[in-house]
């Protein structure tokens, strides 16, 4: 089973698997695909892709923004990286709520003039 650790380090996931782990007697319900990015099948973990951008400018093929640093009005401008900001592409602090809800650690991109 050494291939599990190689696979885990390749995809950058942080979870543990051991063939000697105790399997619960009562079968746990599988979370729906809409509510979780993974599902468990016996002793295998299937990782599923989830879109990061859930609602911002979805009619565009790719969301791209450009900034000319010399034209910034403030000496420090924060840009959103969590895709949750109501003022996207600028940060409005929505990452704080996102981080608490998901355990993530995303923060803004700070651009200095």
């Amino acid at each position: 089973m050494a291939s599990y650790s190689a696979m885990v380090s390749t995809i950058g996931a942080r979870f543990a698997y051991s063939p000697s782990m105790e399997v619960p007697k009562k079968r746990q319900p599988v979370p729906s695909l809409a509510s979780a990015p993974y599902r468990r099948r016996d002793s295998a973990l299937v990782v599923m892709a989830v879109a990061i951008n859930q609602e911002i400018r979805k009619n565009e093929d790719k969301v791209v923004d450009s900034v000319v640093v010399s034209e910034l009005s403030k000496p420090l401008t924060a840009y959103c990286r969590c895709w949750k900001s109501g003022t996207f592409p600028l940060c409005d602090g929505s990452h704080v709520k996102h981080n608490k809800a998901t355990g993530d650690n995303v923060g803004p991109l700070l651009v200095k003039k």
Side-chain angles (χ1 to χ4, degrees):
M1 291 290 168
S3 63
Y4 279 109
S5 62
M7 184 174 65
V8 170
S9 64
T10 301
I11 61 173
R14 289 191 174 97
F15 58 87
Y17 172 83
S18 171
S20 63
M21 293 177 84
E22 184 178 333
V23 178
K25 301 291 181 199
K26 185 177 178 185
R27 191 168 178 95
Q28 299 295 322
V30 176
S32 77
L33 294 178
S35 67
Y38 64 89
R39 60 186 167 169
R40 185 180 170 113
R41 289 185 182 166
D42 298 325
S43 63
L45 182 68
V46 178
V47 179
M48 314 223 14
V50 176
I52 296 169
N53 178 10
Q54 297 292 320
E55 60 188 57
I56 297 171
R57 293 165 31 195
K58 294 299 281 185
N59 60 329
E60 299 176 26
D61 290 336
K62 185 189 292 187
V63 178
V64 178
D65 293 294
S66 299
V67 177
V68 178
V69 176
S70 62
E71 295 178 4
L72 292 174
S73 60
K74 299 177 186 177
L76 184 67
T77 304
Y79 287 90
C80 177
R81 293 192 309 160
C82 73
W83 293 90
K84 306 292 182 190
S85 176
T87 59
F88 189 87
L90 300 176
C91 175
D92 68 357
S94 295
H95 61 273
V96 174
K97 182 178 176 183
H98 165 78
N99 288 348
K100 285 181 182 176
T102 64
D104 205 350
N105 65 347
V106 69
L109 166 66
L110 299 177
V111 177
K112 296 179 182 180
K113 192 171 184 182

